[in-house]
Amino acid sequence: MANRNERIHALIQKNVSEIIQFELKNSTVGFVSVTEAIVNKDNSFAKIYVSFLGKGDKQKRLEALNRCKGFIRSELAKRLDIYKVPEIAFVIDETFDNAKKLEDSLAREKEHIENKKKI
């Protein structure tokens, strides 16, 4: 049963990514990377984590993507062979931003330590 759920997660992530990249005709959304798809146990709800690349207000781009979720869900229904296609909610994935902040903080701390050693 776990393998089936993992396959469904992977299929939803792959297909949503392809739909957004190749079929969605909304210039406000821009380039989007689907980082993860989490589906609940009964496959009725999917939380799709996305990361926006490039410049622009992430919140406005997320709102534009959420306005297109009906189209994305209908295209997903055509591609999946499951009884019920889950409702979709898009969430901004902050993992990369948090990792960048952590790396910058560590680099500053390392520089601070090296400056203390020189004194």
Side-chain angles (χ1 to χ4, degrees):
M1 185 68 152
N3 288 336
R4 183 179 189 278
N5 286 338
E6 290 173 12
R7 278 196 323 265
I8 290 173
H9 292 199
L11 279 172
I12 289 174
Q13 180 177 346
K14 174 185 170 281
N15 285 312
V16 167
S17 180
E18 289 175 355
I19 291 167
I20 291 172
Q21 186 175 6
F22 299 117
E23 297 180 26
L24 191 63
K25 305 289 189 236
N26 189 335
S27 61
T28 308
V29 174
F31 188 74
V32 178
S33 174
V34 176
T35 57
E36 189 174 6
I38 297 176
V39 184
N40 66 350
K41 289 184 181 185
D42 65 351
N43 296 330
S44 63
F45 184 77
K47 190 181 285 190
I48 311 291
Y49 288 90
V50 295
S51 179
F52 295 103
L53 303 175
K55 298 186 180 197
D57 185 17
K58 291 180 182 180
Q59 198 61 37
K60 287 183 181 179
R61 293 168 76 182
L62 180 66
E63 290 170 5
L65 189 60
N66 276 319
R67 285 192 299 271
C68 301
K69 70 181 174 182
F71 169 76
I72 294 169
R73 186 169 182 243
S74 67
E75 289 298 313
L76 188 61
K78 295 175 187 175
R79 296 173 180 219
L80 295 181
D81 189 26
I82 57 177
Y83 177 69
K84 184 175 186 219
V85 177
E87 290 292 324
I88 296 174
F90 291 102
V91 179
I92 295 176
D93 188 0
E94 300 288 343
T95 305
F96 298 115
D97 295 335
N98 293 340
K100 177 70 173 144
K101 288 178 187 174
L102 183 60
E103 286 177 6
D104 292 344
S105 178
L106 289 173
R108 282 192 307 271
E109 192 64 31
K110 182 179 178 183
E111 183 179 318
H112 179 70
I113 291 170
E114 289 176 359
N115 286 340
K116 277 192 163 190
K117 286 182 181 178
K118 290 179 183 178
I119 297 177

